[in-house]
Structure formats: C-alpha cells, structure tokens
Amino acid sequence: MASENELTLRRVVVALDVAADFAPAIELAATVAAGWRAGLRGLFAEDERLHRLAALPFAQQLEPATALRSPISAEGMRAEIDALMRRMRQELESVAERHGLQWSFDAAPGSIDRDELVIESDELLAIGLSTRPIMSQMRLGSPWQRTVGRLRRRVLLVRGRSDANAALAVLYDATPPSRRALDAAIRIAGACRRPLILVTPEQVPDAQRVEAEAAAQAAGVRTRSVVARSASLAALPSALPVRVDLLIVGGDGVSAIDASERMSSGAVLIV
Amino acid sequence: MPEEIAEPTVPAAMPAALAVAELRRRCDPDSLPFQSLVELEDLAVPPGQEIAIEALRFGVSMRHPDYHIYAFAPATAARLGFVRDFLDQCAAKEPPPSDVCYVNNFENPQTPNVLALPAGRGAQLRDAMKELVQELRAALPAAFENEDYRTKRHGIDEKFKQRQEEAFGALQKRAQKEGVAIIRTPVGIAFAPMRDNEVLSPDEFQKLPAAERKKVTATIEDMQEKMEGIIRQVPVWAREHREELRQLNRDVTRYAVAHLMQEERAAFADLPPVEIYLAAVERDVIENVDDFLGESGRPEMALGPIGESAGPDHLAFRRYQVNLLVDNSGKTGAPVIYEDNPTVHSLVGRIEHIARFGALLTDFNLLKAGALHRSNGGYLVLDAMKLLRNPLAYDALKRALRAGEVRIQSLEQMLSLTGTVSPDAAPVPLKVKVVLIGPRILYYLLNQFDSEFTELFKVQVDVEDQIDRDADRVLMVARMIATLVRRHRLRPLDRGGVARLLEQLARESGDGQKLSIETPAVLDLLKESDHWAGQAGREAITAADIQQSIDARQRRADRIYRRMREQVRNGVLQVETTGRRIGQVNGLSVIALGAFNFGHPSRITAQVRLGSGRVIDIEREVELGGHLHSKGVLILSGFLGGRYAQDKPLSLQASLVFEQSYGPIEGDSASSAELYALLSAIGQLPLRQDLAVTGSVDQHGRIQAIGGVNEKVEGFFDVCAEQGLSGRQGVIIPATNVRHLMLRQDVVDAVAAGRFAIYAVKTVDEGMALLTGMPAGAADGAGNYPAGSVNHAVAARLEHYASKARELARRAEGGPDGERK
C-alpha cells in the first residue's frame, strides 16, 4: 500500500478526440509513465455531433489546407474518423515502444461521456488542452475543458509541443502534496534524464530545501534550486529561470489549471 | 666530295701501330694548377653553359606570354640544378605576387569569386572574416535578446494573432448568436444548426418550417463563405507578419553588423574588390540572421552546392570563410615551383569533396590550388616527360597558358561529362613563365607534331653535355667538382683523384679531347668514390677510389659481358684471334645495357659467286639489319663498282653476314669490316684473324669515324687476353677516331709491352694491307693494278666473273660460239 506522499501509477490514460493535438499529449504522457514503468492507454472519444452533421443534407466542411469546401457524407465522415484514429493509434504505439511501455488503444464510437469519465485510483489522465489548429493561431476550444475542471488531481494537462531537452520543474513547499509532487518529479526526471528545477517559496526553511535537493541528487537527478517570492501557482511560470516542459505540483487542481494556462507551452502534472 | 675523284690512287703504306701516348690522353696531377680543391671557389654555373644561360636569360626577360622555355636535359628535370638556380636568382629580384582568395559569390554561390590581393593581405582578410563571424555569432544573439527587441517582436506577433482571433472570434460570436455550431472535423471545420446545445438531426431539420430551413441554410452558407474568406486571408496576414518580423530583424541586424564591420571596412578601404565583397557579406548576414540565432535558419540554402545542415562546427558559416588559395605572405621574391608530379589536378588545382551521409559534397572552400596558382607571378619548372605521361596534363597546361588564366575544374567538367554539382569557380589570371625540362628528341618531336607547342615554347635552352679539354676548362671542371664536393659534404679529392676523375670524364664524353660535364653522372661517381674512400679509411678521395668506383660499377653491370666472354672462351661463340681466313674478318660492335656499354667481336663472313652485281646483306634479308646498317652494305656495291667495274659489268653475287648474331644490328660501323671480308672473298686473300676491325666506309674507300671506339678496342682486347696475347693481336680503327681514344689502363699497358696494337687507317687499302700483309696496289694509267697486290687479285677475279658472264650471255643469245636455246 502506497503512502499518501507517494504517487502510485499503473497506467496513464491519454484522452483523445477528433480535435486533439494528440502527438504532444502522447509524448508527454509516455514521459510521465516511464517514471513508474506504467502502461499507456489511448482513449478516443468521438464527437457525436459529427455524425449528426454528416446526416444533414447540406453538410459541408471547409478544408483549411486548400480553402475548399467539400460535401460531407456519413460514410465519408466515418472513414475520416477511422483514419484519424489509426494515426493516433500508430503514434501511441510508436511512442510507447520507444519508451518501452505497455500500451493499449480504445475507441468508443460516440459513446464516451466526458462528464462521466472516471479513472482508477492508480491511473492518471493526460489531456491535451491544445486542439489541432485550424490555421496558424486559430483553434477551437478543447471539449475536455469541463473534464479538467472536474478533476482535482492525477491529471496531466498538456499545452503545446514538448521539448525533449527542456527541464522539469517541481513546486515544493514541504507540504504532503508537494512531497508527493517531489517524489513524482524525481521519478520522471530520473527516467527521462532531464534536469529538475526545484522551486521553493521563500518561507520554506533552508533545511527542507536542502533535504529535497539531496533526495533528487540521491536519485541521480541534476537539480537546480530556485526560490520563489510567492507560493502562488499563478505567479510561478514567470518565475522559472529557463524553459520548462513540465511543471509538477501537488494537490490543488484548480490552481494548477490556472498555472497551466499561464504557460505558453509545456504541461502541468497535478499529483 | 664526289668531285674529288681525281685523287690519285697511291700505294697504301702499311700503317704503323699507334704510339702509347695516343691511346689514352692522361691527366698529369702535377699539371693541375692547384694543390687542393679547397683552394677553388664554388662555380655558380656549370662550365660550358654560356649559351644555355644566355638563352635562359632571354627567356626569363621576355615578358611576352608565348616565350616559355624548353631546356634540354640529359637527365631528369629534378637534377638539372643550374636552371633552377638561375631561376631562383632571377625570382629573388622580383616582387612577390598577389595572394589569391576564393570567396563566396552571394548572388550565385555556384560561381565563387576570386580576389587577388597584395601579398599578405589574403591571410589578413581570411583572419578578419573568421573573427567577424565569431563576433557576429556572439553579438547578434545578444542583440536579439534585448528586451526592447522582444517587446517589439511580441507586439508584431500579437498583432498577427489578434487579427486572426478577431476575425475568427467574430465568426464564432455570430455562430453562437445564430445558433450555429462550429465543429472540428478530422480534416477541417464544418457549420451545423443547433438547438439546445445539440446539432440538429436530419429529422429535426426536416421538421423545421421551410422558411426557417431556408434561413438556416443561407446563414450557414454565408458563414462558410466568411470562413473561407478568413482562411484565404490568413496566409496574407502571415506573410505580412513574416515581413514585419524580417524587417525588424533586418533593422536590428543592420545596426549590429554595421558596427561590427566598421573595423574590417577600414582595414581594407584601399582594396575596392574587398570593399565590394564586405558589402555583399553585410547584405547576406542581414538577410540570413537566423543562422546566427541558433534557430533552424536555412543552412541548406546558405551553402549553395554543399547543402549540409548546420553541424557542430556550424557549417552554415562556411560561406563567410575566405579560401586563401595562394598565400604569399612573408615571401620576398617571385615563386619558383618545381612540380614533380605534374598531373592535371596538381597543375590546375582540384575540387575536393566531403563525404556526408553517403553523398560527396563540395563548396568554394574545397577548391585547392595547383602548381600554376602557386607559381603565378613567377616560374614553374616541369619535367616534360612526366608532363606528357600524365593524361590531360599537357593539354591543361597549354590551355591555361593560351588563355592566360587558370580555371579549377573537376575532371567531369573538363571532359564535359555529367558529374556532381561542383563550383564553377571564376578563373585566376595567369602570368607565369613555364620551364619544361626534357630530352632533346622530345623537343624536336613536339615541334614537329604540335603547333601549339611551337607557339608557346619559343625559347630553347640547349644544355651542353661536354666541353673542350683545355687548361681553362679543366680548371672550370675542377671548380665544378669542388662545388659538388662541398655542396654534398663529400670527402675532398687529392690531385691524383681529380686527375683520374678528369680522365674518366674524358672517357665518358667519348672523346679524349673533351670532358663530360653531365653533373648528375659526375656527382654519382663522386658519391661512390667517397664511399670507397670511407671504406678504406681515407680522409680524401684518391685516384684509387675513383678507379674502384669505376671497376665496381662495371662489375655490378657486366654479367652479360662476362657470360659472352665465357662463351667465346668455351668456343660456343666462335671468335678466332690467330691465323688467317679467306672471307672472314673480326668486326666489332657495341652492346648497350643500360648505363653499361661494352664491345664485342663478331665474325663477319662473305661469300661470292658469279652473279648480277648484287651484294646481299643477310641481316637485312631476315630483317635484323637496321636502316643504317643496310645503307653501309649498299655503299659496298658502290665502292666495288666504282673501283673495279668502271668498264665492265660487276658480275658477282655476294652475301654478307654477322655470324652467330641473333639480334638486330644497327649502324654502319662494321661496313669497313664487311668490305674487307668481301674483298678477301673476291680476291681469295686470307685475312689476319688476330686483328679486329671497326669503321665505316664511303663509296671511295675512305674509312670514317664510328662511335664507341674505346669499348670496341677493349672488347677485342679482353677476348684476346683470355685466349692469350700473342703480340700480333690488335684493332684497326679509323684514323679519325684516334682523338677519341681513352682506353683502359690495362690495354694501354699491353700495348706498351708490345703485346697488343692499335692501328689507325684512313682507307680501305691501308686496312687491307694490314689484314693481308700484302700491298694494296695502285692502279697504273691504264687502270691496272700491280701483280701481287690486293687490288690486282680482286680486279682479276672480277674480270674473270665478267668474262664468264659475257660467255654465258653469248650462249644464252646463241652467239657465234654457242647455240640459241
């Protein structure tokens, strides 16, 4: 039985749909899963609206690549969704194999109710908050936003592209949730051999900061300490000295989501 | 000469043997005007080369482009030191030529530009550019890290983002207001009518009133058109955004670059071509600043043909490098380049390649200079034989000299074959004096068969290989020896050594009155003598060491000679050195085996019978006789007809052969021997076999000089010595060859002891008198020869043949004494 301070992880579930910018989400989910040698599951949720749309007599779609309109048919829509799912599956397979992880891919045509989605206690949900751009900066909002709002922890929020060389950061204020975050951060940084930035608010005693650094170094993780003036998560991204790919925080999901929105790219793991 | 036929035929006296002093012109050590070589000054130019030096001086001072030089050299070009010494002296007085650089052509990277800069400035430019790139790599990222820049850039990005958001946001708002959903499909977006936050199903849509259906359809159609407009507009905005960013980057870069390049511009303000180049560099840096910012950039465009991605050494910056093709910094005179391996690429330069990911890539930095580049503004010395042996090299040299420029091309470009993409480098203007060094025969062949050669190489430098052996020149040669000894750190020669060496040089010249001045051969002999002196523990080279070198050299080379003598000794090769024979004489030939020549006696025999006046050369019949040999034999017919058959047909048929000769025979030096054998056979006159004969003969019976007289005499002497010197043995040589005698000391000693003899003859009559022991006999007024003379016997036999021939002719024609058949 794992302690409260230790995150157990059997599987990372990557939430996918037609709009998802799936490659960064899958890559980062695999990076996190590698810290626990956890499995990787792709969960594709169809948008029921697409089938309704396809059944309408005047239904057309605009293809940004060509700026041309084309009629939509039910069969055509099905084929396009299937093709997209195959690409996602291939990507998941490729990334999982590169990280040496077990993987699975589930697609529930039109059946997943995001509001009802429940993950197991030893699972983590990875959600891509960025959708595939229509053009340049034009994106539609993610249909997973409401799910994110409902989850308070065990969620990985991915925004933008991942950089394999960027550092990881963990917010550590010596509270139990932050100890859990530190533990998770050390595992992930150790697995992907990336440097770890240990962010501690000013009020944290030096001894505890040193203890946290020692824990990371004992695991063979290169660590850099940063003292933040405020313990506010909202102010954290701008306090980071270098580009951070993944911020790991404990506990407060709402604040974490807020922090992730302030990060122009990268991800937040709430444990 | 034929006009002198009036020469009266006088009885030939029996020639006397030559005196010992005539056999070898000795050099008395005491006659040398110095005590030691140390006293003698160095000789800058080998003796006897006054005309060659004059020709060289003319060739060097002729500044017209077609006056290149061909120097005749007996040995390889590398060993013709004085030509190079002379060129070095001339070059030292001339200014060093320009540096030559290849730089990127920013307008067209495929055709790199060439810059000719004063000596030393090329290296300065190369280093300045290297430093500039380093500074740019540090300074430009810093300029772009500046907070003001970031703010400005952020503003531009935001403007672009805002434009899209505004356009798309307005559409989204309208969609919401009109109850239309914007849905992301797998490959695009679509618009669908909504009710209660759900997309209408087809049934629900069909249940709508017709007017509403029409309205919904029209709204969606309108929104789709709007969306299309936005999608079409985004690339335009993106282009504007990029252009704005580019302009911002240009402005920032321009300011930073102008500041950084100030120093370079000032340093090269006196060189307009460099100013132009630096301006092009500045423009390129401004246009390609991304390369300096550590971003993806566009290295594949930056390098033109090489097309490689930025590696650890930032290959994208290679385009700013200066390829210093020829660096004359620190030089004080014009270059003198000797190219030992004149291939096409070692002459005109080459294009190197880098293997990268399985492909061979190149750019202007990989252009490498050839000898023509390095010698530009000076002198290029080439071995003509090596030049011609290398495919395309001679043509490439001529092309460059004719065009007055040297162009680096790959072999594919040169041959117009399809090849890899290579730089088409601008040619380098060429001003060089080429000195070809090669054998005389090659010069004449090129002159005859290559008109371009004649046009380009107008100056011939004819190098002497021997000089007269007078007192002044002997001293010059002694100075040459002293120079070689000092230059090559050899032991000094004592006076005896010098004297013996001079004698050997006379022998090698093939003329006792001359001295060979082939420096390489002299040097070789000196080195070998130095070795033997060292072996003997002597401080100086003596006559004994010189002699040992000569003897040892001969021993190393004379295996075939020894084998042939052995075969004579064993009787396998039949050479008689005693007794008399009719129609047989010992002729002498020289066999050349590399640097070793030796003489060898051969039996020459003749057979005669009644015939139609034809002398058959068996060697020619079987195609073993060369042209000159055949000519010599044909002359014999002329002689016989002229002397014995003025008023009657020459009614004999004769055959001549070199017995036991199985190889080709060339030269006419045996023609006198053949004539002796022929006369002996006709007149049935026994010839002495203890004499050997050499010399060519003309149609009037005069004996003419031949080559290799020393080797021939020594060859017969050696055979006689092995069979036992009788005191009667000797060699008959042309009188005109007496000056060439430089015989071995053992031969001279044998003559002095009366055990061997050398006779010099001027005419066939003298030779026949010696060989037969009979007087030759002079014709009287009626053309009759005295009885008991050689000529009488010959004439009588020919008369006999003639009358026999007449008789046979009469019989054949059915004359008074015969019947017609």
Side-chain angles (χ1 to χ4, degrees):
Chain A
M1 184 78 181
S3 74
E4 178 64 16
N5 287 343
E6 194 179 344
L7 178 73
T8 54
L9 197 59
R10 180 178 56 85
R11 190 161 65 174
V12 177
V13 179
V14 190
L16 301 166
D17 61 19
V18 167
D21 193 5
F22 56 90
I26 292 172
E27 181 62 45
L28 209 53
T31 302
V32 171
W36 285 264
R37 311 301 308 157
L40 201 58
R41 179 191 177 201
L43 181 61
F44 183 82
E46 274 190 14
D47 189 339
E48 192 61 26
R49 295 179 305 169
L50 289 170
H51 298 291
R52 283 173 173 258
L53 168 69
L56 288 169
F58 55 84
Q60 288 186 315
Q61 65 178 341
L62 254 174
E63 293 175 18
T66 57
L68 293 176
R69 265 188 271 174
S70 57
I72 304 173
S73 68
E75 297 78 23
M77 180 61 73
R78 180 73 260 155
E80 285 173 0
I81 292 171
D82 288 348
L84 185 61
M85 276 199 301
R86 278 197 297 277
R87 276 186 60 206
M88 290 176 175
R89 190 179 188 281
Q90 283 167 0
E91 178 73 13
L92 187 82
E93 179 181 7
S94 157
V95 171
E97 285 183 357
R98 179 153 41 82
H99 286 269
L101 305 174
Q102 297 284 331
W103 65 277
S104 61
F105 186 87
D106 299 309
S111 65
I112 291 181
D113 184 344
R114 292 179 177 83
D115 290 342
E116 298 296 321
L117 181 65
V118 175
I119 56 167
E120 303 288 332
S121 62
D122 54 0
E123 286 185 333
L124 178 111
L125 185 63
I127 296 173
L129 290 179
S130 296
T131 55
R132 288 185 294 126
I134 298 165
M135 280 200 80
S136 185
Q137 307 285 324
M138 261 188 259
R139 294 171 197 264
L140 290 169
S142 169
W144 293 93
Q145 284 283 7
R146 275 190 300 173
T147 314
V148 172
R150 186 166 53 79
L151 296 169
R152 301 194 66 81
R153 48 178 292 219
R154 286 186 171 272
V155 63
L156 171 65
L157 305 175
V158 183
R159 195 182 293 277
R161 296 256 153 204
S162 176
D163 179 352
N165 295 317
L168 312 180
V170 60
L171 180 65
Y172 178 69
D173 58 5
T175 59
S178 75
R179 282 185 204 285
R180 198 166 56 238
L182 176 65
D183 173 66
I186 290 172
R187 275 174 174 269
I188 297 166
C192 65
R193 294 178 183 171
R194 290 205 219 170
L196 178 65
I197 296 170
L198 181 67
V199 186
T200 49
E202 276 178 339
Q203 62 270 27
V204 173
D206 283 348
Q208 288 184 317
R209 185 180 301 121
V210 170
E211 188 188 340
E213 284 172 8
Q217 282 159 8
V221 173
R222 283 186 292 131
T223 311
R224 180 174 168 186
S225 243
V226 172
V227 177
R229 286 184 188 166
S230 158
S232 161
L233 271 173
L236 189 57
S238 59
L240 294 171
V242 293
R243 187 173 170 213
V244 165
D245 196 34
L246 176 62
L247 173 66
I248 300 152
V249 297
D252 187 353
V254 177
S255 300
I257 291 163
D258 181 44
S260 84
E261 282 179 353
R262 288 169 183 272
M263 291 175 73
S264 58
S265 63
V268 176
L269 171 62
I270 308 158
V271 296
Chain B
M1 297 303 281
E3 312 315 329
E4 294 179 30
I5 50 176
E7 178 192 341
T9 308
V10 293
M14 194 76 75
L18 293 177
V20 171
E22 293 178 282
L23 305 185
R24 177 185 179 90
R25 189 175 169 197
R26 290 201 63 238
C27 176
D28 183 0
D30 294 332
S31 70
L32 296 174
F34 53 86
Q35 291 300 315
S36 160
L37 281 185
V38 180
E39 300 166 24
L40 303 180
E41 288 179 6
D42 274 359
L43 199 62
V45 176
Q49 305 300 353
E50 293 79 9
I51 295 173
I53 293 290
E54 185 188 323
L56 264 179
R57 188 169 289 120
F58 169 74
V60 165
S61 56
M62 270 301 273
R63 281 301 170 188
H64 292 285
D66 298 339
Y67 282 77
H68 298 283
I69 299 167
Y70 188 103
F72 301 151
T76 63
R79 301 179 75 175
L80 196 62
F82 87 91
V83 173
R84 295 187 62 192
D85 291 345
F86 181 83
L87 295 176
D88 283 337
Q89 287 165 18
C90 295
K93 296 172 196 155
E94 297 173 31
S98 304
D99 290 344
V100 179
C101 307
Y102 270 111
V103 293
N104 191 34
N105 178 350
F106 294 99
E107 306 277 316
N108 181 6
Q110 198 63 36
T111 57
N113 291 329
V114 65
L115 292 177
L117 308 175
R121 303 294 296 277
Q124 189 189 349
L125 178 63
R126 177 196 60 196
D127 296 343
M129 284 305 296
K130 194 174 175 185
E131 201 174 318
L132 175 67
V133 168
Q134 279 173 352
E135 284 185 19
L136 287 170
R137 288 175 69 180
L140 288 176
F144 283 83
E145 288 293 323
N146 181 290
E147 196 53 48
D148 293 342
Y149 167 79
R150 291 169 83 158
T151 306
K152 216 164 176 180
R153 177 172 183 141
H154 184 71
I156 293 169
D157 289 343
E158 280 299 308
K159 193 167 99 187
F160 174 58
K161 196 174 171 186
Q162 203 176 336
R163 269 177 154 177
Q164 293 180 70
E165 283 175 355
E166 274 175 9
F168 192 50
L171 194 67
Q172 279 179 307
K173 268 186 195 163
R174 186 183 160 199
Q176 204 170 7
K177 189 177 162 193
E178 303 269 3
V180 173
I182 302 177
I183 303 172
R184 189 74 165 96
T185 67
V187 295
I189 56 169
F191 296 84
M194 289 184 69
R195 178 164 294 170
D196 300 331
N197 266 338
E198 284 294 340
V199 172
L200 286 183
S201 68
D203 290 344
E204 287 169 332
F205 179 72
Q206 290 301 335
K207 283 177 188 166
L208 292 175
E212 196 172 344
R213 282 205 307 271
K214 194 175 175 186
K215 185 187 166 201
V216 167
T217 311
T219 301
I220 287 176
E221 175 64 25
D222 182 54
M223 292 184 78
Q224 281 175 332
E225 280 177 13
K226 288 272 186 309
M227 189 64 203
E228 267 180 34
I230 293 170
I231 285 173
R232 289 181 199 282
Q233 192 60 36
V234 167
V236 178
W237 293 334
R239 194 162 55 244
E240 287 172 8
H241 172 240
R242 282 196 302 274
E243 186 48 45
E244 266 191 75
L245 279 179
R246 207 174 288 137
Q247 190 54 47
L248 172 65
N249 290 352
R250 274 195 210 111
D251 293 343
V252 171
T253 312
R254 186 175 290 115
Y255 175 71
V257 173
H259 172 67
L260 287 170
M261 289 187 72
Q262 226 166 19
E263 203 176 311
E264 279 73 19
R265 282 177 180 279
F268 294 95
D270 58 327
L271 298 172
V274 179
E275 277 198 305
I276 294 169
Y277 168 66
L278 289 175
V281 169
E282 185 173 346
R283 282 195 300 274
D284 190 76
V285 171
I286 290 168
E287 288 303 315
N288 299 288
V289 67
D290 283 352
D291 293 345
F292 291 87
L293 304 181
E295 294 176 9
S296 57
R298 50 182 190 94
E300 68 287 349
M301 290 170 69
L303 271 178
I306 199 159
E308 54 209 311
S309 59
D313 195 27
H314 285 263
L315 294 173
F317 301 120
R318 287 171 63 88
R319 69 181 185 277
Y320 302 120
Q321 288 178 6
V322 172
N323 179 0
L324 182 53
L325 202 71
V326 180
D327 182 4
N328 284 312
S329 53
K331 305 269 173 67
T332 51
V336 180
I337 303 294
Y338 171 65
E339 177 54 57
D340 185 47
N341 182 27
T343 63
V344 59
H345 284 148
S346 69
L347 286 177
V348 301
R350 65 189 188 282
I351 304 172
E352 291 190 338
H353 291 78
I354 295 173
R356 191 166 289 270
F357 306 123
L360 292 175
L361 306 168
T362 187
D363 70 0
F364 72 94
N365 286 296
L366 296 172
L367 297 172
K368 301 295 170 186
L372 282 167
H373 295 100
R374 295 197 304 279
S375 60
N376 202 359
Y379 304 91
L380 175 60
V381 184
L382 298 171
D383 187 316
M385 288 298 282
K386 287 182 182 174
L387 178 70
L388 288 167
R389 272 202 296 265
N390 278 301
L392 304 174
Y394 177 53
D395 283 341
L397 175 70
K398 286 191 296 182
R399 194 162 47 245
L401 295 179
R402 268 200 324 270
E405 60 185 31
V406 54
R407 184 185 288 274
I408 301 178
Q409 286 182 311
S410 66
L411 215 52
E412 297 91 347
Q413 288 171 325
M414 218 174 273
L415 298 174
S416 302
L417 300 174
T418 307
T420 50
V421 177
S422 298
D424 187 10
V428 177
L430 186 65
K431 189 183 172 194
V432 66
K433 185 69 71 178
V434 175
V435 181
L436 288 184
I437 297 179
R440 189 174 271 107
I441 182 68
L442 186 59
Y443 176 82
Y444 296 130
L445 286 171
L446 288 170
N447 244 313
Q448 187 169 356
F449 295 111
D450 183 4
S451 59
E452 285 179 336
F453 175 82
T454 316
E455 287 167 19
L456 289 170
F457 291 87
K458 292 198 169 88
V459 183
Q460 56 174 306
V461 175
D462 202 343
V463 180
E464 275 293 352
D465 54 5
Q466 54 180 231
I467 56 170
D468 289 342
R469 191 179 167 184
D470 56 34
D472 289 345
R473 289 185 176 85
V474 162
L475 183 60
M476 295 274 272
V477 174
R479 283 179 60 194
M480 180 183 87
I481 294 167
T483 308
L484 290 172
V485 163
R486 280 193 283 269
R487 194 174 289 174
H488 294 274
R489 299 171 188 276
L490 303 174
R491 288 175 178 75
L493 284 80
D494 66 12
R495 289 214 295 180
V498 175
R500 180 66 190 90
L501 181 55
L502 289 170
E503 286 176 5
Q504 182 61 19
L505 296 183
R507 162 77 185 226
E508 285 177 4
S509 76
D511 188 338
Q513 316 289 327
K514 289 191 178 290
L515 293 171
S516 167
I517 47 169
E518 284 189 29
T519 312
V522 177
L523 183 58
D524 287 347
L525 189 55
L526 281 171
K527 286 176 182 169
E528 289 165 29
S529 302
D530 180 73
H531 168 78
W532 293 117
Q535 293 280 306
R538 280 192 273 275
E539 293 294 317
I541 298 170
T542 65
D545 299 318
I546 302 281
Q547 188 60 49
Q548 188 168 4
S549 297
I550 296 163
D551 294 344
R553 189 183 279 184
Q554 177 171 331
R555 269 196 303 281
R556 293 195 296 270
D558 72 353
R559 192 182 72 86
I560 303 289
Y561 181 49
R562 278 183 277 118
R563 282 292 159 84
M564 290 183 78
R565 274 164 41 199
E566 182 185 302
Q567 296 206 337
V568 171
R569 193 165 60 239
N570 296 339
V572 176
L573 285 177
Q574 295 175 22
V575 177
E576 296 178 37
T577 59
T578 58
R580 288 168 178 260
R581 292 270 182 195
I582 293 173
Q584 174 177 305
V585 71
N586 287 319
L588 293 167
S589 54
V590 171
I591 296 173
L593 292 176
F596 177 60
N597 300 336
F598 62 90
H600 178 69
S602 297
R603 282 179 301 126
I604 297 173
T605 62
Q607 286 287 6
V608 293
R609 61 185 182 280
L610 185 64
S612 57
R614 189 170 171 227
V615 176
I616 296 172
D617 174 14
I618 291 178
E619 306 298 337
R620 184 186 175 193
E621 295 296 313
V622 296
E623 296 181 352
L624 283 174
H627 296 303
L628 294 179
H629 181 260
S630 299
K631 177 188 170 191
V633 174
L634 290 173
I635 285 171
L636 305 187
S637 299
F639 171 79
L640 289 177
R643 173 169 284 193
Y644 304 111
Q646 291 280 351
D647 53 359
K648 52 182 174 284
L650 191 58
S651 305
L652 91 164
Q653 179 144 327
S655 58
L656 285 164
V657 70
F658 271 64
E659 300 290 356
Q660 291 188 295
S661 167
Y662 307 104
I665 294 172
E666 184 51 298
D668 64 350
S669 71
S671 60
S672 68
E674 288 166 327
L675 183 54
Y676 296 140
L678 192 57
L679 293 173
S680 165
I682 296 169
Q684 292 295 295
L685 302 167
L687 298 180
R688 286 174 61 182
Q689 299 299 300
D690 48 17
L691 291 177
V693 175
T694 185
S696 70
V697 65
D698 67 9
Q699 290 196 96
H700 300 280
R702 284 176 296 228
I703 302 297
Q704 302 166 145
I706 44 79
V709 65
N710 293 304
E711 288 82 358
K712 286 173 176 170
V713 171
E714 289 162 2
F716 190 64
F717 173 82
D718 287 341
V719 169
C720 293
E722 293 205 340
Q723 294 185 351
L725 291 173
S726 63
R728 287 181 53 76
Q729 292 145 333
V731 179
I732 301 173
I733 65 169
T736 43
N737 275 122
V738 173
R739 62 170 285 146
H740 301 135
L741 288 175
M742 277 300 290
L743 291 169
R744 274 189 343 233
Q745 193 57 45
D746 57 338
V747 181
V748 176
D749 293 343
V751 172
R755 293 189 291 138
F756 199 71
I758 314 295
Y759 302 93
V761 297
K762 291 179 182 161
T763 63
V764 171
D765 289 339
E766 288 178 358
M768 281 304 286
L770 274 168
L771 286 164
T772 59
M774 295 166 64
D780 60 15
N784 297 318
Y785 294 97
S789 68
V790 170
N791 285 326
H792 180 267
V794 173
R797 187 75 185 280
L798 288 174
E799 176 56 41
H800 168 72
Y801 280 145
S803 65
K804 198 76 181 165
R806 280 194 295 271
E807 184 188 330
L808 289 171
R810 274 198 303 275
R811 281 188 194 168
E813 289 168 2
D817 299 329
E819 296 174 4
R820 184 177 294 273
K821 301 216 173 169

